[in-house]
Amino acid sequence: MVHIQAKISEPIELLVPKQQHEPPVSENNEPLILMKEEHPRIFIKSMYYIQDIPNSLKFIYLRKGVYERIQQALNILPKNLSFILYDGYRPFEVQKHLFTQFLDETKKKHPEYTQEEVLEKTLTFVSYPSTESKYRSPHLTGGAIDLTLGDLEGNELNLGTVFDAMDVKSATRYFELHPKENGEALKNRRILYNSMIAVGFTNYSEEWWHYDYGNVTWARRVGAPVCIYGAIEADVHDNIIKGYRYI
């Protein structure tokens, strides 16, 4: 543990996926776990529920393996810091809404873009809403989590951008390349990254807040022959999951 904590502030390394093809799914039927603020250093801020997006979830749900690794990462995190969870499992309807929203925002922000360029830019920040293995959205599996660092009161620290910012500064290593621009964000991104990577997560390089375990994108990055989490279809009522099935 001492050795891991000594590495918490090391630079964020440039990682290249170990395989480009999509590994097959070998669903292990791990359950979704309701993540509560049962730990004094875990805070829930379900962003899409706060934004009043239809069918969004009031709480954070994660696969059991992801839930356990968050607890492990918390043990590595400096004792004066906390995790603030933004999103975990994401219903298909929410994924579809976000994709359309980001697509429209990109069109307005870049009227000079071709249709193909708009799509490419949108896909940088939000996955295509699909349950097909080739295009499966990471959050549909329960194996992706969006989070940030906070203090012991649950106040967000400076990570350089807000959550979901469609900005070049959202790239995880942006401040590694521009260290004088925001030293505090650089330090905090390193802490978040190293604590999550140490327990088996992988990071999406374009979003400092997004981490994966067990899903297709995780398997591709680490070179796993299969991924253990496929898509989940949930029955959502009053912004709470009442039941779900593996698809």
Side-chain angles (χ1 to χ4, degrees):
M1 182 65 71
V2 174
H3 175 66
I4 294 177
Q5 289 180 335
K7 298 180 64 176
I8 201 76
S9 296
E10 288 192 353
I12 298 171
E13 56 186 330
L14 177 62
L15 293 179
V16 178
K18 294 185 178 181
Q19 58 188 5
Q20 298 301 318
H21 70 279
E22 303 292 344
V25 176
S26 180
E27 176 61 61
N28 71 352
N29 295 326
E30 262 188 22
L32 283 176
I33 304 295
L34 172 61
M35 196 79 176
K36 300 179 181 179
E37 292 182 341
E38 54 195 17
H39 193 289
R41 293 198 291 138
I42 291 181
F43 296 89
I44 305 300
K45 191 175 182 179
S46 188
M47 291 299 286
Y48 301 128
Y49 177 75
I50 292 172
Q51 295 170 16
D52 201 27
I53 291 178
N55 296 297
S56 57
L57 299 174
K58 185 176 182 179
F59 304 108
I60 304 294
Y61 297 82
L62 303 168
R63 290 283 192 138
K64 183 174 182 289
V66 178
Y67 172 88
E68 293 171 344
R69 282 166 176 76
I70 288 296
Q71 309 294 330
Q72 294 167 15
L74 199 61
N75 291 329
I76 297 172
L77 204 64
K79 300 302 181 182
N80 63 328
L81 299 181
S82 66
F83 283 140
I84 302 173
L85 311 188
Y86 290 142
D87 193 33
Y89 170 75
R90 186 182 299 167
F92 181 84
E93 294 80 3
V94 177
Q95 187 68 33
K96 185 176 180 180
H97 179 99
L98 292 174
F99 182 82
T100 301
Q101 174 181 302
F102 276 60
L103 194 72
D104 291 342
E105 289 179 6
T106 302
K107 288 179 182 178
K108 292 176 182 178
K109 189 174 181 179
H110 298 282
E112 76 281 7
Y113 278 9
T114 65
Q115 185 174 348
E116 291 75 17
E117 289 172 329
V118 168
L119 179 60
E120 181 180 2
K121 183 69 172 180
T122 300
L123 289 172
T124 300
F125 296 101
V126 60
S127 298
Y128 186 78
S130 174
T131 58
E132 296 180 23
S133 59
K134 184 177 180 180
Y135 303 104
R136 186 173 293 116
S137 303
H139 282 280
L140 292 179
T141 69
I145 184 169
D146 296 332
L147 77 170
T148 190
L149 295 178
D151 62 19
L152 296 182
E153 301 299 321
N155 300 304
E156 298 173 5
L157 300 189
N158 177 7
L159 272 292
T161 74
V162 297
F163 169 64
D164 263 356
M166 296 181 68
D167 192 306
V168 294
K169 295 183 182 182
S170 293
T172 307
R173 297 188 71 253
Y174 176 83
F175 294 114
E176 297 290 345
L177 304 177
H178 306 85
K180 296 182 179 180
E181 188 171 324
N182 191 332
E184 186 177 3
L186 171 62
K187 179 190 70 174
N188 289 334
R189 287 192 187 189
R190 287 178 176 180
I191 292 173
L192 177 60
Y193 178 88
N194 287 314
S195 63
M196 295 292 282
I197 295 300
V199 298
F201 286 101
T202 62
N203 168 254
Y204 174 47
S205 62
E206 298 298 330
E207 298 177 346
W208 58 261
W209 56 83
H210 180 106
Y211 288 84
D212 294 286
Y213 175 77
N215 56 27
V216 171
T217 50
W218 167 86
R220 189 173 65 245
R221 291 177 193 138
V222 301
V226 299
C227 61
I228 56 176
Y229 301 153
I232 289 177
E233 183 178 30
D235 299 319
V236 180
H237 299 283
D238 297 325
N239 304 99
I240 296 174
I241 292 180
K242 299 297 185 179
Y244 60 87
R245 57 201 146 274
Y246 307 102
I247 57 175

